[in-house]
Amino acid sequence: MNKKSLFLGAVIGAAAGAVTSILFAPKSGRELRSDIVEKSGEASVVLKELAYNANELLQSIQVLGTEGSTLIKDVSSDIMDSVSKWNEEMEPEKKRLKDEIKDMQRTIADLEKTLKKDK
């Protein structure tokens, strides 16, 4: 969504609401003019607050995006380091397991030979 469109829509909506409420209020011309001046001042304050809050939100989103990107890079780097360390630590275990599997295969082969001889 375009930021300008959102801001423009909020301004137009606020203005339309203010004009509608003023025009449909049953008051005299003097009261109506007084209300218009008062409401326009209030609308100005609301618009300034809205612009300030929109700017704050935009800055927060930018900071969050930057920090999120940095955090993701750090976490992925930490994960890669952990996996690398785990692989290094598991290397002796892999060798031991391979040796045990070879021993089991030899034992099975020897048992098969023994069983064939006994038949």
Side-chain angles (χ1 to χ4, degrees):
M1 180 183 291
N2 190 346
K3 292 178 263 181
K4 290 181 182 179
S5 298
L6 178 65
F7 183 71
L8 185 60
V11 170
I12 291 172
V19 169
T20 302
S21 66
I22 290 172
L23 291 178
F24 287 106
K27 295 185 179 183
S28 68
R30 180 173 288 157
E31 290 176 335
L32 184 58
R33 285 189 298 274
S34 173
D35 283 351
I36 288 173
V37 170
E38 182 182 325
K39 296 293 181 184
S40 67
E42 290 175 11
S44 175
V45 169
V46 168
L47 289 175
K48 286 178 184 176
E49 287 178 5
L50 181 62
Y52 176 78
N53 289 338
N55 189 33
E56 288 283 318
L57 178 62
L58 180 61
Q59 289 175 355
S60 295
I61 289 171
Q62 289 172 340
V63 167
L64 180 62
T66 302
E67 289 177 356
S69 175
T70 302
L71 181 63
I72 288 173
K73 287 177 184 175
D74 290 345
V75 168
S76 65
S77 176
D78 289 348
I79 289 172
M80 290 176 69
D81 289 345
S82 294
V83 168
S84 177
K85 281 183 181 178
W86 183 79
N87 278 331
E88 288 174 9
E89 291 172 359
M90 294 311 300
E91 200 58 42
E93 288 298 311
K94 288 179 189 178
K95 184 180 180 327
R96 186 186 62 78
L97 288 173
K98 283 180 183 178
D99 291 343
E100 283 186 24
I101 290 172
K102 285 179 184 177
D103 288 343
M104 287 179 181
Q105 289 173 337
R106 281 189 216 116
T107 303
I108 290 171
D110 291 345
L111 284 172
E112 287 175 346
K113 287 178 186 176
T114 303
L115 288 175
K116 284 182 184 178
K117 288 180 185 177
D118 289 344
K119 283 187 180 181

